[in-house]
Amino acid sequence: MTADPVPNASTRVRRFPTLGPELFDALREDRPRRIALQVPAGLVRNATDLAERIREETGIPVVLAGRACFGACDVPSRDEVPNADVSVVLGHAPIPNVTLPMPTYFVEMRVPAEDPERLVRTLEAAGIPRRLGIVASVQHLGLVDPLSEALTARGYVVRVGQGDRRLAYAAQALGCNYTGAEAIAGEVDAFLFLGTGRFHPIGLAFAVDRPVWSLDPLQNTIESPIDRPALVRRRQLLVASVRNVERWGILVSTFAGQNRTATALALQERARSRGRQAEILSFARIDPRDLEGRNVEAYVNTACPRIALDDSALYPKPLLTPPEFLMAIGELPLDPYRFDTYH
Amino acid sequence: MTADPVPNASTRVRRFPTLGPELFDALREDRPRRIALQVPAGLVRNATDLAERIREETGIPVVLAGRACFGACDVPSRDEVPNADVSVVLGHAPIPNVTLPMPTYFVEMRVPAEDPERLVRTLEAAGIPRRLGIVASVQHLGLVDPLSEALTARGYVVRVGQGDRRLAYAAQALGCNYTGAEAIAGEVDAFLFLGTGRFHPIGLAFAVDRPVWSLDPLQNTIESPIDRPALVRRRQLLVASVRNVERWGILVSTFAGQNRTATALALQERARSRGRQAEILSFARIDPRDLEGRNVEAYVNTACPRIALDDSALYPKPLLTPPEFLMAIGELPLDPYRFDTYH
């Protein structure tokens, strides 16, 4: 599925490695009247202190965006913080092909690169394959080069892919887009993800038919691959179970980087041509309660693909990605399974 | 607390008693390119059928607003349905002093007036006081005049108040504003609410120190008054419990009719002058999860007053209304309790 065409991203996007003097200098120079500060869920505990720090360093009023961000796709809209004229977004890199609602300072929260030799010993001990593609969360991108060099010195073959216009950096992982990994999948026996948590390894496992190992660079711990066939089989069974559904809801989010209205309209057209009912539901952030009690049998979600894949237990009805929906109404085969890569 | 000053409401607001030919004619005449349909929680089950009916009657594409509405204050923003150029909002009357984001058709879902004689017999049997103020939900406003006449014929003294600029009709109840009732509280011994549910009776009991009886006109059943002192005492105890809180969050919603940014800034100023920390959090619809894990001890909510009063059990921290916050920091006495009437 392709995102709706957007003009090139605003030029008023700036990137900073950490929340430090470079950011404060830039804010003091640009002199916004009010700053919207948005933090990822993991930093919510520190949000008020971070807001106070920015205010003290710059002398500019700060408003906290009430909801945490999950990606550079759901930055604050003008509607959510109408009195702010710039956003400071922590923990994410800009998505190059997304047009932002206001000037935005992305603070990528990079962590210093850890000792690659120590990490290589862990990888060797785990018996990781020798032809490797590397993917990393933004925080750990600084480790990609030193670790690749250390691995190559030990005889590993390391590949790093450059993704499409949705990815700012080579090797970068985005929950909805692993096109960098897809580009080199044919050259490697496995992928190595650098970062924490299972969110990116699961996405990567959906996107590429290769084992995905995860290395937490801070803990120096490695996790062996998740069971891709089980993930895919569960989705194929879900798709098969809704093949006869007559009443569909098509979900559209209006977040800057998640709005696929054109895709939704195209899916509605396909559904109708196959004799199904399909209503479009529009929202900013979706809440499972919004789908309760509706006279609809199943949904296709054109917003973040990970909502359908990861959060389905929270929803009262089956929730499919766009390619899964096309499988359900008979426009695509069930196999091979297609990840909803968001371009 | 006063709402932020707003210009007079858009002139492109239209009112319709029901979802019928008048509405369809108006839509066909005005020829919007796309309609956003928003329904209250009680009509969510019918939303897709209603959307289809409007589309069939008018030939105009319809998008459903993903979230249900709780009042004419939280109509769809342009941000939530960017492709729609008019909204059809069911179940509410316009709030005259709210500027709307787009042309809006309010369909008030009026119900035909029931037999007043039958209802009067129920009221008499329940022993309701003889000097009565009448308040009604929008659906039942058509019953106010015939019922008042029938009651007057039996020797009752009936009063109906005209509220402030937030109320479109005399006798109208709004969850955040009972100024019509407040205006006549001195002339009556009790209030009679015409409608269903406990939402309005509870709000009315917070706003006026008079017993509030509820008559469900469809079921012809009457509920005796709720215990106002218990409601108020619970809030006063909550306020007393947060008197020493140092770290406050001030919540601001950006919904068209709930945005009290100026109030929030004034409260922040008061908090700081009393030596408290107070950060402003901005959001469209608040979700209790947004307040989890924050390094804040208590909140004051400048959005819908009923969130603090009715939904507090859903929130992880104490949630106060603006007057309650002023009580907590010592700027207002605990007694008499002040309802957060939203003007």
Side-chain angles (χ1 to χ4, degrees), chain A residues 127-248:
Chain A
I128 190 169
R130 299 193 76 80
R131 295 200 314 159
L132 280 177
I134 294 192
V135 171
S137 65
V138 169
Q139 285 69 42
H140 298 283
L141 280 173
L143 179 62
V144 173
D145 282 351
L147 184 65
S148 297
E149 281 166 32
L151 282 167
T152 305
R154 303 283 184 106
Y156 286 80
V157 175
V158 178
R159 290 282 176 273
V160 167
Q162 175 62 60
D164 67 13
R165 293 180 312 144
R166 205 162 168 85
L167 294 165
Y169 300 102
Q172 186 190 352
L174 215 57
C176 57
N177 184 306
Y178 299 92
T179 50
E182 288 169 24
I184 55 167
E187 306 166 36
V188 302
D189 298 321
F191 281 94
L192 175 63
F193 168 70
L194 309 178
T196 53
R198 282 169 60 83
F199 178 75
H200 284 302
I202 287 174
L204 200 44
F206 268 116
V208 293
D209 192 2
R210 288 286 180 283
V212 177
W213 298 68
S214 308
L215 177 67
D216 180 333
L218 301 174
Q219 304 294 323
N220 189 23
T221 51
I222 186 155
E223 296 266 350
S224 47
I226 42 190
D227 184 355
R228 178 183 203 265
L231 287 181
V232 167
R233 201 161 47 240
R234 205 182 315 144
R235 298 306 301 179
Q236 287 168 327
L237 284 171
L238 176 68
V239 171
S241 76
V242 293
R243 273 191 162 141
N244 297 321
V245 160
E246 295 291 335
R247 298 176 70 97
W248 288 88

Side-chain angles (χ1 to χ4, degrees), chain B residues 250-253 258 260-261 263-264 267 300-304 322 342:
Chain B
I250 301 176
L251 307 180
V252 177
S253 165
Q258 295 190 14
R260 286 191 281 183
T261 297
T263 296
L267 295 178
V300 48
N301 178 25
T302 68
C304 172
Y342 200 135

Side-chain angles (χ1 to χ4, degrees), chain B residues 88-102:
Chain B
V88 171
V89 170
L90 304 190
H92 298 284
I95 301 177
N97 75 341
V98 169
T99 301
L100 296 167
M102 69 184 101

Side-chain angles (χ1 to χ4, degrees), chain A residues 44-45 48-49 52 55 64 66 77 79-80 82 247 254 277 279-282 285 290 293-295, chain B residues 44-45 48-49 52 55 64 66 77 79-80 82 247 254 261 277 279-282 285 290 293-295:
Chain A
V44 156
R45 168 153 295 279
T48 49
D49 291 334
E52 201 174 334
R55 186 166 49 239
L64 282 166
S77 68
D79 207 64
E80 288 177 303
R247 298 176 70 97
T254 57
Q277 281 191 308
E279 290 293 339
I280 292 180
L281 275 92
S282 181
R285 173 171 59 173
D290 293 336
R294 291 188 181 271
N295 187 10
Chain B
V44 156
R45 170 154 293 279
T48 48
D49 291 333
E52 199 173 335
R55 186 166 49 238
L64 281 166
S77 67
D79 206 65
E80 287 177 304
R247 296 175 72 98
T254 57
T261 297
Q277 281 192 308
E279 291 292 340
I280 291 180
L281 275 93
S282 180
R285 173 171 58 173
D290 294 335
R294 290 189 182 270
N295 186 11

Side-chain angles (χ1 to χ4, degrees), chain A:
Chain A
M1 289 290 120
T2 306
D4 293 339
V6 287
N8 284 331
S10 159
T11 52
R12 296 177 300 170
V13 169
R14 302 186 66 169
R15 292 182 282 192
F16 300 88
T18 58
L19 192 81
E22 280 173 283
L23 171 72
F24 303 136
D25 285 348
L27 286 168
R28 273 191 298 259
E29 233 168 73
D30 295 352
R31 281 196 289 187
R33 280 172 301 135
R34 196 175 295 273
I35 297 166
L37 174 64
Q38 191 189 40
V39 304
L43 285 178
V44 156
R45 168 153 295 279
N46 311 95
T48 49
D49 291 334
L50 295 170
E52 201 174 334
R53 185 163 166 221
I54 295 174
R55 186 166 49 239
E56 276 173 6
E57 294 277 358
T58 64
I60 302 161
V62 178
V63 174
L64 282 166
R67 59 176 182 82
C69 61
F70 290 94
C73 50
D74 69 344
V75 295
S77 68
R78 286 202 172 271
D79 207 64
E80 288 177 303
V81 278
N83 298 93
D85 46 1
V86 305
S87 286
V88 171
V89 171
L90 304 190
H92 297 284
I95 301 176
N97 75 341
V98 169
T99 301
L100 297 168
M102 67 184 101
T104 305
Y105 299 67
F106 286 93
V107 183
E108 298 177 349
M109 307 301 270
R110 298 289 188 110
V111 299
E114 301 76 10
D115 173 21
E117 293 302 333
R118 196 174 66 117
L119 299 173
V120 168
R121 286 194 294 276
T122 303
L123 295 173
E124 286 199 311
I128 190 169
R130 299 193 76 80
R131 295 200 314 159
L132 280 177
I134 294 192
V135 171
S137 65
V138 169
Q139 285 69 42
H140 298 283
L141 280 173
L143 179 62
V144 173
D145 282 351
L147 184 65
S148 297
E149 281 166 32
L151 282 167
T152 305
R154 303 283 184 106
Y156 286 80
V157 175
V158 178
R159 290 282 176 273
V160 167
Q162 175 62 60
D164 67 13
R165 293 180 312 144
R166 205 162 168 85
L167 294 165
Y169 300 102
Q172 186 190 352
L174 215 57
C176 57
N177 184 306
Y178 299 92
T179 50
E182 288 169 24
I184 55 167
E187 306 166 36
V188 302
D189 298 321
F191 281 94
L192 175 63
F193 168 70
L194 309 178
T196 53
R198 282 169 60 83
F199 178 75
H200 284 302
I202 287 174
L204 200 44
F206 268 116
V208 293
D209 192 2
R210 288 286 180 283
V212 177
W213 298 68
S214 308
L215 177 67
D216 180 333
L218 301 174
Q219 304 294 323
N220 189 23
T221 51
I222 186 155
E223 296 266 350
S224 47
I226 42 190
D227 184 355
R228 178 183 203 265
L231 287 181
V232 167
R233 201 161 47 240
R234 205 182 315 144
R235 298 306 301 179
Q236 287 168 327
L237 284 171
L238 176 68
V239 171
S241 76
V242 293
R243 273 191 162 141
N244 297 321
V245 160
E246 295 291 335
R247 298 176 70 97
W248 288 88
I250 302 176
L251 307 180
V252 177
S253 166
T254 57
F255 283 147
Q258 295 190 15
N259 187 338
R260 286 191 282 183
T261 298
T263 296
L265 290 169
L267 294 178
Q268 186 179 47
E269 195 51 45
R270 297 315 310 143
R272 288 180 178 165
S273 78
R274 297 256 173 181
R276 321 292 173 96
Q277 281 191 308
E279 290 293 339
I280 292 180
L281 275 92
S282 181
F283 54 88
R285 173 171 59 173
I286 189 72
D287 182 317
R289 289 170 295 180
D290 293 336
L291 305 188
E292 275 168 22
R294 291 188 181 271
N295 187 10
V296 166
E297 296 162 81
Y299 294 91
V300 48
N301 178 25
T302 69
C304 171
R306 303 302 295 271
I307 294 172
L309 298 177
D310 302 42
D311 298 344
S312 56
L314 304 176
Y315 286 83
K317 297 282 171 61
L319 196 61
L320 272 57
T321 67
E324 288 172 346
F325 173 72
L326 294 176
M327 296 172 198
I329 64 170
E331 302 238 331
L332 279 178
L334 256 185
D335 210 16
Y337 178 82
R338 287 160 215 244
F339 179 64
D340 179 25
T341 295
Y342 200 136
H343 295 291

Side-chain angles (χ1 to χ4, degrees), chain B residues 72-88:
Chain B
C73 49
D74 69 343
V75 295
S77 67
R78 286 204 172 270
D79 206 65
E80 287 177 304
V81 279
N83 297 93
D85 46 2
V86 306
S87 287
V88 171

